[in-house]
Amino acid sequence: MKAWEKNIRKVVPYVPGEQPKVDDIVKLNTNENPYPPAKGVSRALLEFDSNELKLYPDPTIEELKSTLAEYYGVNVNEVFVGVGSDDVLAMAFLTFFNSDKPILFPDITYSFYPVWADLYKIPYECPKLDENFMMVKEDYYKENGGIIFPNPNAPTAICNDLGFIEDIVKNNQESVVIVDEAYVDFGGESAIELTKKYENLLVVQTFSKSRSMAGMRIGYAIGSKDLIKAMEDVKYSFNSYTMNMTAIKSGVEAVKDDEYFKETKKKIVTTRENTAKSLKALGFDMTDSKANFLFVTHKKYAARDIYEYLRTKHIFVRYFNLPRIDNYLRITIGTDEQMEKLIKALEEYCEKAVSTS
């Protein structure tokens, strides 16, 4: 080993969902929204004056923060905006999780959490979900350096109610509790209202799922002004100009069109429920999803084999080769047409499996 190599920070990186480069694809592996963003987003991009790009963007991102604050009924100084919720969450880890005590997050959850913990040298413990993939709130009553969990959880799609969340926050007022709500718009109840009652609660959301803007990278957090001020201070010590002008203008337009936002959410929820019925008819079991994906398993057929078969049909779903969930698939909800192709392929798979058994 070269002398300088000893000083390199080494971590096991997060592995994002595959981005296949093939034609005629049914892409159901990264929980993207199958519908385009609100029309105002396209209009903002078409009308954008590229001459503005010679200037730095507003480091405070005031226009977008004000729009979000008005939408959620909070003050501007209670909103933090970043480049996707991953950026927001990473900044939150860096800002709030600096104790010698371990932070807590579930053993089956968003796999970026342990990556950030290792990157920032934060000790952590992972209380186990129960046999039904549910969080056990009493596991989070012990001494800790902070708590984070998604609601709905990923990849299980299970959502906890506000009473459950409040109980965890109430029992941990000496540490920061972060609720990651990337999928909350598809059936969950946001904990944003609890931020007015608990100054140690931070709620993080994203434009990537329900607002159809994964490619634009916009995320935000809502919490007490003291939490947001702390994050802003860290952000300005890290990178003052985190969001580009086109993202700011596009984000504002996406929030303004609330009718379209609700319409596309409703479409996805309806397709999710119809797909769940079709999958159950084929013998699949699944969790009670409140997200834009289904977490499914089959008693007879191995998840890995189904995953590989679907790939041959250019249908991509997510398979996790991990303890406790290695016989499950996470299937993003696409358009009705995409889900019909999925169901047809699964029907063919089951027929072939029966004929060869």
Side-chain angles (χ1 to χ4, degrees):
M1 178 180 287
K2 301 179 183 69
W4 53 266
E5 288 183 296
K6 297 176 183 177
N7 297 318
I8 295 177
R9 187 185 298 273
K10 294 180 175 65
V11 294
V12 178
Y14 170 74
V15 180
E18 185 180 3
Q19 299 287 354
K21 306 298 182 186
V22 296
D23 296 327
D24 191 29
I25 184 177
V26 178
K27 191 171 184 293
L28 307 174
N29 67 329
T30 49
N31 296 343
E32 294 145 325
N33 195 312
Y35 301 107
K39 290 182 179 178
V41 174
S42 296
R43 186 168 58 250
L45 293 173
L46 287 171
E47 295 175 356
F48 182 76
D49 182 2
S50 61
N51 189 50
E52 294 184 51
L53 294 177
K54 67 177 182 284
L55 304 174
Y56 284 110
D58 175 14
T60 68
I61 319 176
E62 189 72 16
E63 185 181 9
L64 181 53
K65 286 171 62 176
S66 297
T67 304
L68 287 166
E70 181 179 358
Y71 185 83
Y72 289 108
V74 299
N75 296 319
V76 174
N77 63 0
E78 295 171 333
V79 181
F80 178 92
V81 177
V83 186
S85 61
D86 286 342
D87 176 55
V88 176
L89 289 166
M91 204 64 65
F93 268 64
L94 193 58
T95 305
F96 303 121
F97 296 159
N98 293 292
S99 169
D100 292 333
K101 302 169 188 174
I103 64 170
L104 307 177
F105 50 83
D107 67 324
I108 301 172
T109 193
Y110 186 28
S111 53
F112 226 140
Y113 298 162
V115 174
W116 285 317
D118 288 339
L119 180 64
Y120 299 135
K121 301 188 182 303
I122 301 167
Y124 64 92
E125 292 179 6
C126 300
K128 288 186 178 296
L129 300 181
D130 69 15
E131 65 277 8
N132 297 312
F133 297 136
M134 301 291 295
M135 289 176 64
V136 180
K137 62 184 178 182
E138 289 79 10
D139 290 343
Y140 296 83
Y141 292 170
K142 60 186 176 182
E143 202 171 17
N144 63 75
I147 295 171
I148 182 168
F149 58 92
N151 196 51
N153 195 8
T156 67
I158 293 173
C159 192
N160 293 299
D161 61 32
L162 277 189
F164 181 98
I165 293 170
E166 181 169 12
D167 204 58
I168 289 179
V169 178
K170 187 167 57 177
N171 280 278
N172 288 280
Q173 294 188 55
E174 293 186 359
S175 58
V176 174
V177 178
I178 302 174
V179 182
D180 181 356
E181 294 186 341
Y183 304 102
V184 76
D185 293 322
F186 300 104
E189 188 176 4
S190 177
I192 287 175
E193 67 177 70
L194 295 178
T195 63
K196 299 173 183 178
K197 187 175 179 181
Y198 298 98
E199 62 181 6
N200 64 316
L201 173 62
L202 188 77
V203 177
V204 178
Q205 293 195 12
T206 179
F207 280 53
S208 296
K209 316 300 181 186
S210 54
R211 296 191 185 277
S212 307
M213 295 177 69
M216 191 58 82
R217 312 309 302 130
I218 304 173
Y220 55 100
I222 293 176
S224 68
K225 61 182 177 57
D226 291 336
L227 291 186
I228 299 305
K229 174 63 164 57
M231 288 184 71
E232 296 280 8
D233 288 347
V234 172
K235 169 197 165 182
Y236 291 134
S237 302
F238 191 83
N239 182 359
S240 298
Y241 304 102
T242 55
M243 183 166 289
N244 68 68
M245 291 178 179
T246 56
I248 295 171
K249 292 182 182 296
S250 299
V252 168
E253 293 302 320
V255 176
K256 284 181 178 178
D257 196 341
D258 195 43
E259 183 179 348
Y260 181 78
F261 174 56
K262 290 174 179 174
E263 177 188 329
T264 52
K265 285 193 302 179
K266 185 178 179 180
K267 279 185 185 179
I268 289 169
V269 170
T270 300
T271 302
R272 181 187 72 202
E273 298 310 305
N274 291 337
T275 302
K277 289 177 184 176
S278 297
L279 289 169
K280 287 174 183 176
L282 290 173
F284 284 89
D285 292 322
M286 64 205 68
T287 58
D288 180 20
S289 174
K290 299 299 180 185
N292 67 334
F293 59 88
L294 294 168
F295 194 56
V296 310
T297 185
H298 202 289
K299 291 185 178 70
K300 292 183 180 179
Y301 312 125
R304 182 190 282 275
D305 293 342
I306 299 172
Y307 163 76
E308 294 292 353
Y309 177 80
L310 290 175
R311 282 175 62 89
T312 67
K313 301 293 183 180
H314 289 185
I315 300 173
F316 291 79
V317 298
R318 192 76 188 264
Y319 171 70
F320 298 92
N321 187 19
L322 295 170
R324 300 183 68 194
I325 60 172
D326 60 348
N327 201 37
Y328 282 80
L329 296 173
R330 193 193 69 190
I331 303 173
T332 302
I333 302 302
T335 62
D336 288 335
E337 293 75 17
Q338 288 176 317
M339 304 319 286
E340 286 169 7
K341 289 181 180 179
L342 168 74
I343 296 301
K344 183 179 179 181
L346 289 172
E347 287 173 344
E348 292 173 354
Y349 177 85
C350 291
E351 287 173 5
K352 288 181 180 179
V354 169
S355 65
T356 57
S357 62

